[in-house]
Amino acid sequence: MENKHYIALELDKVLELLAAKTTCPASAARARELIPYSDWRDVSRAVRQTAQLNTLSVRFGTPGLGGIHDCSAAVRRAAVGGRLSIPELLSVCRVLRTIRAVRDWRRQAEEPTDADGLFDALTPNRALEEEIDRCILNDEELQDTASPELASIRRRIRKAQLSIREKLDSIIKSPQYAQVLQEAIVTIRDGRFVVPVKAERKGELRGLVHDTSGSGATVFVEPMAVVDANNEIRVLQGEEREEVDRILLELSGRVGEMAELIQESFSALVELDLLFAKSRLADAMHASVPEIRQDRVLRLNKARHPLIPRDKVVPVDISLGDSFDTLVITGPNTGGKTVALKTLGLLTLMAACGMLLPCGDGSCVPVFDRVLADIGDEQSIEQSLSTFSAHITNIISILEWAGPRSLVLTDELGAGTDPVEGAALAVSILEALRQKGALVAATTHYAEIKMYALTTPGVENGSCEFNVETLSPTYRLLIGVPGRSNAFAISQRLGLPEEIIGRAKELVSSENTRFEDVVSDLERTRQELEKEQQAAASRRQQMDALKKEMDEERQRLYAQLDKEAQQAREQAQTMVERVKSQTDLLLNELEELKKQQDKEEFSKKFAELRAGYKGRMEHLRDLADPVAQRRGEAYVLPRKLKSGDTVLLTGLNLEGTVLSGPDSSGCYMVQAGILKSKVKEEELRLVDTKDRKVTVNGRRRTTTESKVDREARTEIDIRGMDTIDGIATVDRFLDQAALMGMGTVTIIHGKGTGALRTAIQNHLRKAKGVKSFRPGMYGEGEAGVTVVELK
């Protein structure tokens, strides 16, 4: 009975697709015989097994399972002492090789899987595998090395054959027999070497006649000279057959010793091949892993019917069992109602078979005892059943089997009879199925059933969207919206006369007309809301992208500010340290001078001078941080800022435009490039856009000059560069220093081997802008630097 419903939902076709993904006949047959599980634990484990092996297959590829055949019958015969043929032994060898390969493949990953029981059931026997492979040459012959005795027998056979050929060659090449032989060749008849002799001259060559040609003109004669040798070959061939039988019986005995393990391993291989086939089918369908629910909530997101080509199928969203247990799907013919119904049932059965589903993430499926379907026209002439009768017969069977853990799917419920009676009967059937606790999805055209869904708690309308303008369905399933048949609209678009359509509308009852008008208004409102929702989502995406871009720009500017501030501090600190070293040298010289003076007044004056110097040096250190100096700068706006003013943001060292402000907290909204931000008034400086000057405490300073001052450097460090890069860097540095009007600059090249210093100083001798240069003095870096005086 259940198989009939599975066929109605086309599960058999999906299983045929699964069988095509297997690699051996036994697993293909197993795929076609799959029956959906009805226990939640079984379904959950089966889906996990498929998902886990799919993950491993993505990482390590699928192991080779092709070329194996069911060798169970041969193994059982070997277990009771039977002798296996060469092809049967080769089949066993291939199974053993596959068992070992699959076990080795599984060892690549350490994480456990639900299929590990199948992998553990695989018992390889490499010794037997290699012994069979060593002994058998092909499907018909053993290797000479299968045993020493076999090698000896075949060696003697080849020796005897060679002796016979030599004797026969001497006969066919002899002038004495040239006129006797039909052809100068050696051939074999009944396993014995013979020569073709003309029938009328057969008495001229003594020997045994073994055969005659079809025309009777030729007889095949075994010369008496080779009879004994041919007899010897016959004896040796008998010994060869006996030795081959002995070897095959010995190999068969070894197979029989592990017959049970081989059979268990082969059964596990078949199940694993089926799981890998499910994984390959999932990849082909772009499937995802559904959640297997213990409750009755069924939700399929972007579900696709697996038998419709991916480039033609329209994904649908289907839900059932959460806030409603019955779904009534309405809409025009060819609008996709039946496809949606089949997709719902088929994907539920696929999950129960342990397959992944062609749907989006977040989908969930419960486990049912039975999935019952009344889909399609089962009219039968032989049984005298009409379409309506066939449907009712199915419904009767479904009502007998339906229960709390059943999913019931009915197509065109109540169709095929009087519309009034059919609609009433359909509502009654739905109520009966709900009383049994089943989840129900049904398609219909009846307005009475749509109204029943609107007014009954737990029953929900659904519709397949139809575009009246293009006279084509969109195949989208809309939950919560009743559908229209659109018969009048379609007829009008196709050119049916207006008077006929008008008369038809008059014949429709006023209640039905009002209901259809309400449905039409609902559909129009839904489409407008959907368009607005899509537009809002698009705007939200644009705003999110803009906000992300602004955040990234803000972070970049802050990072750049911190970098420039750190560089400024380091440069200022270097300048202070250089001045300190020079003054320390001067003070040391003064100390030496002091030692030569005995006057008390001179000593006192020198001590005061030294104390004052230390205080000035500490003050110089505090001023060495240009960033801190800028932050602490006192500033008063010359006037109140207004919208459109150009200002300098001191925190970011960027120019911007005032958009609005001040607000209640005294902040202005300022735009700098794409960055909009609230800035406090004390962090803004008014920029005179006419001459590009910033007003600071009643004085104006050119912003470009400030930038140049901040970028000015009095020294350059070229340590670690080669001579070519060092000279090029020094040239750029000297040009920049000349443009800024500097008189003296310092080049730090380090001591090292002296090669870089020599190259730089040789270059300076030829430089036009250089007035003079000298090595650094004590405290300046000595031989590690060169001090350059510019013209």
Side-chain angles (χ1 to χ4, degrees):
M1 186 279 301
E2 289 181 335
N3 188 54
K4 170 185 175 182
H5 297 282
Y6 298 161
I7 293 175
L9 292 171
E10 300 178 299
L11 177 63
D12 57 321
K13 295 180 181 179
V14 173
L15 295 182
E16 194 61 42
L17 292 179
L18 179 62
K21 296 294 183 181
T22 60
T23 59
C24 73
S27 50
R30 178 76 178 86
R32 296 185 184 96
E33 297 168 356
L34 269 182
I35 297 176
Y37 293 110
S38 59
D39 184 84
W40 176 83
R41 288 179 295 271
D42 294 335
V43 176
S44 299
R45 184 180 64 255
V47 171
R48 282 198 308 272
Q49 285 178 339
T50 304
Q52 290 164 350
L53 288 194
N54 182 261
T55 300
L56 293 181
S57 297
V58 171
R59 290 176 57 190
F60 306 113
T62 304
L65 290 168
I68 62 172
H69 294 274
D70 190 357
C71 58
S72 300
V75 171
R76 286 194 296 270
R77 196 167 72 254
V80 296
R83 180 182 68 80
L84 304 186
S85 65
I86 293 177
E88 288 173 330
L89 286 170
L90 285 177
S91 178
V92 172
C93 183
R94 282 191 288 269
V95 169
L96 291 173
R97 187 181 298 115
T98 303
I99 291 170
R100 178 169 53 85
V102 173
R103 280 293 295 266
D104 292 343
W105 178 89
R106 178 62 186 91
R107 292 193 182 100
Q108 295 177 101
E110 297 180 356
E111 58 269 24
T113 70
D114 285 73
D116 284 346
L118 295 174
F119 286 104
D120 293 340
L122 300 176
T123 306
N125 189 330
R126 188 159 190 170
L128 177 57
E129 171 195 340
E130 291 178 347
E131 181 66 12
I132 296 175
D133 194 52
R134 183 188 68 82
C135 292
I136 298 178
L137 179 62
N138 52 45
D139 287 350
E140 299 178 352
E141 187 178 0
L142 295 185
Q143 297 270 18
D144 289 353
T145 56
S147 73
E149 181 63 22
L150 182 62
S152 174
I153 292 171
R154 287 183 174 176
R155 187 166 54 251
R156 283 183 286 164
I157 290 175
R158 286 191 290 271
K159 183 179 179 181
Q161 290 174 341
L162 180 62
S163 174
I164 291 174
R165 282 189 174 277
E166 289 176 351
K167 293 179 181 179
L168 292 180
D169 283 344
S170 66
I171 292 174
I172 64 177
K173 292 177 182 179
S174 171
Q176 178 183 354
Y177 299 107
Q179 300 300 320
V180 176
L181 298 176
Q182 192 72 265
E183 292 181 83
I185 61 172
V186 176
T187 185
I188 296 177
R189 287 292 185 274
D190 297 329
R192 303 178 75 88
F193 288 93
V194 295
V195 292
V197 178
K198 295 177 182 178
E200 67 273 13
R201 305 186 69 170
K202 61 181 179 181
E204 298 181 25
L205 178 62
R206 293 180 62 252
L208 304 176
V209 177
H210 285 278
D211 198 4
T212 305
S213 67
S215 63
T218 305
V219 292
F220 297 94
V221 177
E222 177 185 3
M224 294 302 297
V226 297
V227 169
D228 290 340
N230 272 328
N231 290 338
E232 181 184 1
I233 290 175
R234 280 294 182 92
V235 173
L236 290 173
Q237 288 174 339
E239 294 177 1
E240 179 188 20
R241 285 193 295 272
E242 291 177 359
E243 180 62 15
V244 167
D245 288 344
R246 186 193 67 78
I247 294 171
L248 293 180
L249 188 60
E250 181 180 336
L251 292 175
S252 301
R254 295 188 59 179
V255 170
E257 291 174 359
M258 60 173 303
E260 185 176 351
L261 293 177
I262 292 177
Q263 287 181 288
E264 291 177 358
S265 297
F266 182 78
S267 297
L269 276 182
V270 169
E271 292 299 325
L272 287 171
D273 188 35
L274 183 60
L275 288 177
F276 284 117
K278 292 178 182 179
S279 172
R280 285 188 285 268
L281 184 62
D283 290 338
M285 292 181 176
H286 299 274
S288 62
V289 183
E291 177 190 359
I292 307 301
R293 299 283 292 256
Q294 287 185 280
D295 55 17
R296 302 204 311 165
V297 176
L298 191 157
R299 182 169 54 253
L300 299 174
N301 301 323
K302 305 297 181 185
R304 306 181 304 276
H305 195 289
L307 300 178
I308 301 177
R310 184 175 171 80
D311 58 340
K312 295 181 180 179
V313 66
V314 177
V316 294
D317 296 328
I318 309 176
S319 60
L320 186 62
D322 189 2
S323 58
F324 54 92
D325 55 35
T326 301
L327 177 63
V328 176
I329 304 175
T330 54
N333 290 327
T334 71
K337 302 189 302 297
T338 303
V339 171
L341 204 64
K342 284 188 173 182
T343 301
L344 173 62
L346 181 55
L347 265 59
T348 301
L349 292 175
M350 288 174 62
C353 289
M355 289 185 251
L356 307 190
L357 304 184
C359 57
D361 294 336
S363 300
C364 60
V365 180
V367 179
F368 297 101
D369 285 340
R370 295 183 180 88
V371 176
L372 308 171
D374 175 40
I375 298 176
D377 186 358
E378 296 191 12
Q379 181 176 356
S380 172
I381 296 177
E382 290 184 3
Q383 298 180 15
S384 300
L385 290 177
S386 67
T387 300
F388 177 74
S389 300
H391 281 302
I392 292 301
T393 301
N394 282 340
I395 292 298
I396 293 171
S397 174
I398 288 173
L399 287 170
E400 291 177 357
W401 287 90
R405 296 191 61 215
S406 298
L407 173 64
V408 178
L409 308 171
T410 64
D411 191 26
E412 300 295 347
L413 184 61
T417 187
D418 178 77
V420 176
E421 294 180 353
L425 190 60
V427 171
S428 179
I429 291 171
L430 290 178
E431 289 178 343
L433 290 171
R434 295 189 68 209
Q435 289 175 359
K436 288 178 172 290
L439 288 185
V440 183
T443 67
T444 184
H445 283 287
Y446 293 139
E448 291 83 354
I449 302 180
K450 303 176 191 177
M451 184 63 70
Y452 170 74
L454 283 173
T455 58
T456 305
V459 183
E460 188 62 86
N461 269 303
S463 64
C464 289
E465 191 178 51
F466 188 86
N467 190 329
V468 180
E469 297 298 325
T470 61
L471 293 180
S472 61
T474 66
Y475 301 105
R476 293 179 58 203
L477 180 63
L478 308 174
I479 303 295
V481 180
R484 301 185 63 195
S485 63
N486 293 298
F488 292 156
I490 294 173
S491 300
Q492 186 175 17
R493 290 278 297 174
L494 292 175
L496 191 67
E498 288 287 345
E499 58 271 16
I500 296 178
I501 296 175
R503 177 56 180 161
K505 290 181 178 179
E506 293 175 0
L507 295 176
V508 177
S509 69
S510 59
E511 292 183 2
N512 191 36
T513 301
R514 286 196 300 272
F515 177 76
E516 290 293 329
D517 290 341
V518 170
V519 171
S520 179
D521 292 340
L522 285 173
E523 176 63 12
R524 184 169 56 255
T525 303
R526 182 198 63 77
Q527 293 179 356
E528 292 174 355
L529 289 175
E530 186 175 5
K531 290 179 180 178
E532 292 180 2
Q533 186 179 18
Q534 291 175 350
S538 177
R539 287 193 295 270
R540 183 168 59 251
Q541 291 178 352
Q542 293 175 358
M543 293 298 294
D544 290 343
L546 181 60
K547 181 178 181 299
K548 181 180 179 181
E549 186 178 354
M550 291 174 61
D551 291 341
E552 291 176 351
E553 182 67 13
R554 182 185 293 110
Q555 294 298 326
R556 187 189 67 78
L557 291 173
Y558 283 151
Q560 182 179 355
L561 176 63
D562 292 341
K563 182 179 179 181
E564 291 179 354
Q566 183 62 28
Q567 289 176 349
R569 292 188 184 97
E570 292 174 355
Q571 292 175 2
Q573 188 67 26
T574 301
M575 294 172 62
V576 172
E577 293 296 335
R578 184 178 296 113
V579 172
K580 181 178 181 299
S581 64
Q582 293 175 353
T583 53
D584 285 343
L585 178 61
L586 178 60
L587 288 174
N588 289 336
E589 292 175 353
L590 292 174
E591 186 70 27
E592 292 295 330
L593 181 62
K594 172 179 175 289
K595 293 179 180 178
Q596 300 174 9
Q597 301 294 329
D598 295 329
K599 295 182 179 181
E600 182 179 350
E601 182 179 352
F602 181 87
S603 300
K604 181 178 179 181
K605 186 175 181 180
F606 177 80
E608 291 175 352
L609 180 62
R610 183 162 190 157
Y613 160 75
K614 290 184 177 180
R616 288 194 298 274
M617 284 302 300
E618 292 300 323
H619 178 65
L620 184 59
R621 284 180 183 275
D622 292 338
L623 295 178
D625 186 350
V627 178
Q629 181 180 6
R630 184 177 64 197
R631 286 196 298 265
E633 180 181 55
Y635 175 78
V636 178
L637 286 169
R639 62 174 173 80
K640 281 292 184 181
L641 298 176
K642 62 180 184 297
S643 297
D645 282 344
T646 300
V647 292
L648 178 70
L649 286 73
T650 60
L652 298 176
N653 195 27
L654 291 175
E655 284 188 4
T657 302
V658 176
L659 299 179
S660 63
D663 58 13
S664 58
S665 60
C667 294
Y668 288 83
M669 180 62 72
V670 179
Q671 181 166 358
I674 66 168
L675 180 66
K676 289 183 182 179
S677 59
K678 285 186 176 182
V679 186
K680 294 182 179 179
E681 183 179 282
E682 55 267 24
E683 295 180 1
L684 298 175
R685 306 288 186 268
L686 180 63
V687 176
D688 188 345
T689 56
K690 293 182 179 180
D691 54 3
R692 305 299 298 163
K693 292 185 177 180
V694 182
T695 303
V696 180
N697 293 340
R699 295 179 296 167
R700 291 190 174 183
R701 65 182 184 193
T702 304
T703 57
T704 55
E705 292 178 354
S706 300
K707 183 177 179 181
V708 171
D709 291 341
R710 287 194 301 273
E711 293 180 354
R713 294 186 297 169
T714 61
E715 67 179 20
I716 187 168
D717 189 347
I718 61 171
R719 288 176 293 183
M721 297 184 184
D722 57 27
T723 55
I724 296 176
D725 290 342
I727 290 173
T729 304
V730 167
D731 280 342
R732 289 194 296 271
F733 171 66
L734 293 178
D735 290 342
Q736 184 180 8
L739 288 173
M740 295 181 180
M742 295 183 182
T744 304
V745 295
T746 303
I747 301 172
I748 304 173
H749 44 62
K751 297 177 182 179
T753 62
L756 184 58
R757 178 182 68 241
T758 301
I760 293 298
Q761 292 179 355
N762 288 339
H763 180 70
L764 292 175
R765 290 188 179 93
K766 304 173 185 177
K768 295 181 180 180
V770 176
K771 183 177 181 181
S772 63
F773 62 89
R774 61 175 177 81
M777 300 174 59
Y778 177 76
E780 291 181 324
E782 302 179 14
V785 302
T786 296
V787 180
V788 182
E789 184 179 356
L790 303 177
K791 293 180 180 179

